Amino acid sequence: MDQTDTKERRDSGSHDITSPEKLVCEYHGSVEIVRAGTLTALVEKLTYHDKLDSSFNRIFFTTFKYFTSSSELLRLLIDRFDCSPPVSHTITTSEWSTQTKPLIRLRVIYVLKQWLEHFWSEPKDIETDRKLRILQSFAEHVTNFTEARAIKHLLITIQRRLAGLDCQRRSISSILAPPKPILPRRLDKLQFLRLDAKEIARQLTIMEAHMFGKVHRDELLNKNWQKKESINTPELAPNVRALIRYSNQLSNWVCALILAESELKKRTQVIGHLVNVANICHQLQNYSAMISILAGLESAPIYRLARTWAMVTERSCNTLRPMQAIIFSAHNYQAYRDTLRVAVPPCIPFLGLLLKDLTFIEDGNPAMTPEGLINFHKYTMLASTIHEIQRLKEAPYSLQPVPELQDYLATQLQSAVDVHEMWGRSCELEPRGRGLGDRPRDLYTPTGGMLTSMVVACMVLDD
């Protein structure tokens, strides 16, 4: 078992440093993990001459806006390019000039290019243009630098950003041919029970995958999805809020479909069909839709329909149980987390639990340590959750959209009233005090709120 060793590492060498900069690291064997540090020391670690810590760089660029601004970071990196020898004099002036400093400069160029290509998220405005011009001027003035090729590539990336072009490589489309859609006889008169459950799940997945793919990492910072937009400021997390709204609408629609049926037999048929849709979503690794459907089935107006649940088929009940086992709340939803951890994209996670994790990390950890250092451990935890979300977006679904079905589903979802407004209808269908009839309720017992903490946490919009 690796021994964990924590020590203070002091680094110097930044431009105009008047005192040693501090970096607090933890060691798991030979792996160095940064726990805290000054801003200057963190920037120095980005550009060490003797090693490149890609994991640290990714965490830093994902979360740096918590503890500095892009203007300040740009200034520090440019200063780092012209850094002075370390105060400790552990190396000779000749070694510094011919070996160490050129490597630091190369790291600075690499880091700037990495920032622009993969993590640049500045708004397209005059201030952003000014930053890019400063960076362009810097790159043009160091063209005599020995690594001219690296500078050339940096300038090309800057020019693309100035032109408003994206520098990221897009994921390659799936090479698998999409399965042929399972269509009803008529697309002009669509009814839920007459639509194939597999195709409903496919179209729901296409719709949600489109929204999920647009979520930007900055939307997940600073609990931006909880902040209301004002007249003078744009919405900070439009795609996250769209996914939250979609999940809530899907749960509401599940309730509305069941409660729209006055006949007991029809209600059980609708439940059975919804269970099949949820199961196909599970197979597609669309855990978001699966959980939203189960949340609708577990909502109070549906949960209380004892006579209806007593008539649900054994097959549907047996299909439900494995899905419930995945999202069982024991040990902070460990079964679901384990499932998600080994999932191979394409996959759509349930956003509610991830937003809950981000909220707990933000609220439960200070930004600074008692010594006045940046608490980088906090940002490592935040980045881990954000990177997991980004990982699951890396591959597209190979599914064929059917516009007519998507229009039908979108209209249905948007027209469903909030689940809290359906209690009266539920009581009309099955008044309180009624028995279960001739059939005992022994096949399936909904847990009644098992999903509450997952669905409610961070998923309520104040529209």
Side-chain angles (χ1 to χ4, degrees):
M1 183 175 179
D2 288 341
Q3 295 294 318
T4 299
D5 176 38
T6 302
K7 75 172 185 177
E8 249 177 46
R9 174 169 181 164
R10 294 185 179 273
D11 291 286
S12 187
S14 289
H15 192 60
D16 287 337
I17 290 178
T18 58
S19 62
E21 296 300 332
K22 185 187 295 184
L23 198 68
V24 178
C25 299
E26 185 175 272
Y27 292 84
H28 294 271
S30 61
V31 179
E32 181 183 75
I33 299 173
V34 177
R35 300 284 297 186
T38 61
L39 177 58
T40 305
L42 294 174
V43 171
E44 286 179 356
K45 180 165 174 59
L46 280 175
T47 56
Y48 279 168
H49 71 283
D50 55 349
K51 59 183 175 181
L52 174 64
D53 189 341
S54 57
S55 176
F56 172 84
N57 287 19
R58 191 178 185 197
I59 294 167
F60 182 96
F61 279 119
T62 298
T63 61
F64 77 87
K65 290 184 179 179
Y66 279 97
F67 47 84
T68 189
S69 65
S70 54
S71 296
E72 177 69 3
L73 177 57
L74 181 59
R75 183 188 68 78
L76 288 170
L77 285 170
I78 291 175
D79 283 354
R80 178 68 169 157
F81 190 84
D82 288 321
C83 58
S84 304
V87 179
S88 59
H89 300 294
T90 54
I91 59 175
T92 66
T93 302
S94 175
E95 288 175 325
W96 169 260
S97 300
T98 61
Q99 299 178 29
T100 304
K101 188 171 183 177
L103 288 174
I104 291 175
R105 286 185 160 187
L106 184 60
R107 292 288 193 220
V108 170
I109 299 302
Y110 169 81
V111 163
L112 286 168
K113 187 170 178 288
Q114 181 187 30
W115 182 13
L116 287 173
E117 285 186 341
H118 303 290
F119 298 95
W120 189 257
S121 58
E122 302 301 300
K124 296 177 181 179
D125 56 19
I126 296 175
E127 178 59 22
T128 297
D129 187 79
R130 186 187 69 82
K131 295 171 191 172
L132 289 170
R133 296 291 179 188
I134 291 173
L135 186 53
Q136 183 181 42
S137 177
F138 158 75
E140 288 172 347
H141 281 82
V142 296
T143 51
N144 59 345
F145 171 50
T146 54
E147 289 294 337
R149 185 177 179 183
I151 293 289
K152 181 181 178 180
H153 289 163
L154 175 60
L155 278 168
I156 291 172
T157 307
I158 295 169
Q159 289 161 4
R160 287 185 61 83
R161 284 297 182 190
L162 282 167
L165 301 175
D166 196 351
C167 299
Q168 288 189 355
R169 294 181 181 179
R170 296 298 175 188
S171 58
I172 301 173
S173 299
S174 174
I175 60 174
L176 298 175
K180 185 178 180 180
I182 305 170
L183 302 178
R185 290 185 178 181
R186 296 187 61 177
L187 286 170
D188 57 338
K189 291 185 178 180
L190 300 175
Q191 296 180 6
F192 175 70
L193 286 175
R194 293 187 178 181
L195 297 176
D196 187 87
K198 181 176 289 187
E199 198 56 46
I200 294 173
R202 289 172 178 171
Q203 298 305 314
L204 289 174
T205 297
I206 295 171
M207 293 163 64
E208 192 163 9
H210 178 70
M211 290 183 281
F212 180 54
K214 292 164 66 177
V215 171
H216 192 275
R217 63 174 63 87
D218 279 8
E219 296 186 49
L220 303 166
L221 303 176
N222 293 301
K223 297 185 287 187
N224 282 333
W225 64 90
Q226 295 181 358
K227 298 173 182 176
K228 293 183 180 180
E229 60 180 314
S230 64
I231 297 175
N232 299 321
T233 59
E235 193 169 355
L236 296 175
N239 300 302
V240 172
R241 290 175 67 87
L243 276 170
I244 293 172
R245 192 173 292 108
Y246 177 89
S247 292
N248 291 337
Q249 289 174 343
L250 184 50
S251 295
N252 292 339
W253 180 55
V254 167
C255 297
L257 282 171
I258 298 168
L259 297 178
E261 301 295 344
S262 299
E263 297 180 15
L264 177 62
K265 183 178 179 181
K266 276 290 187 70
R267 288 200 297 278
T268 60
Q269 289 175 346
V270 171
I271 288 177
H273 207 44
L274 286 167
V275 169
N276 290 335
V277 172
N279 191 42
I280 301 299
C281 288
H282 175 210
Q283 294 171 16
L284 290 170
Q285 295 192 121
N286 182 356
Y287 297 108
S288 178
M290 182 195 83
I291 290 174
S292 293
I293 292 171
L294 265 62
L297 293 174
E298 301 268 340
S299 64
I302 305 304
Y303 161 69
R304 64 170 300 279
L305 298 176
R307 293 173 59 230
T308 301
W309 281 110
M311 297 299 293
V312 172
T313 66
E314 183 176 4
R315 179 182 176 183
S316 293
C317 296
N318 291 336
T319 303
L320 267 172
R321 287 194 184 95
M323 290 186 284
Q324 283 196 312
I326 290 175
I327 55 175
F328 186 53
S329 60
H331 306 294
N332 194 20
Y333 303 98
Q334 190 61 51
Y336 171 71
R337 293 179 188 278
D338 290 343
T339 299
L340 207 60
R341 188 174 295 110
V342 298
V344 178
C347 174
I348 307 175
F350 178 68
L351 208 56
L353 191 59
L354 293 167
L355 296 181
K356 178 182 174 184
D357 289 344
L358 290 171
T359 300
F360 281 2
I361 294 169
E362 291 230 25
D363 293 346
N365 297 273
M368 307 293 288
T369 67
E371 297 77 24
L373 302 176
I374 294 169
N375 183 9
F376 201 74
H377 177 61
K378 171 180 180 174
Y379 304 117
T380 300
M381 291 189 291
L382 284 171
S384 176
T385 300
I386 294 171
H387 293 164
E388 177 68 0
I389 295 172
Q390 296 294 113
R391 179 185 74 83
L392 296 173
K393 294 164 50 181
E394 288 177 354
Y397 278 96
S398 180
L399 297 171
Q400 183 176 331
V402 181
E404 294 86 352
L405 288 181
Q406 292 193 9
D407 289 344
Y408 164 79
L409 291 169
T411 301
Q412 291 283 306
L413 265 60
Q414 292 165 13
S415 62
V417 300
D418 189 89
V419 65
H420 297 97
E421 300 176 25
M422 301 183 196
W423 181 264
R425 172 61 176 167
S426 177
C427 292
E428 287 178 17
L429 293 174
E430 293 191 24
R432 298 179 182 181
R434 291 286 185 89
L436 297 180
D438 297 330
R439 186 178 180 184
R441 187 180 177 185
D442 57 358
L443 290 177
Y444 172 73
T445 302
T447 57
M450 177 190 68
L451 296 167
T452 300
S453 61
M454 289 184 77
V455 176
V456 172
C458 310
M459 295 290 281
V460 178
L461 294 179
D462 296 323
D463 290 332

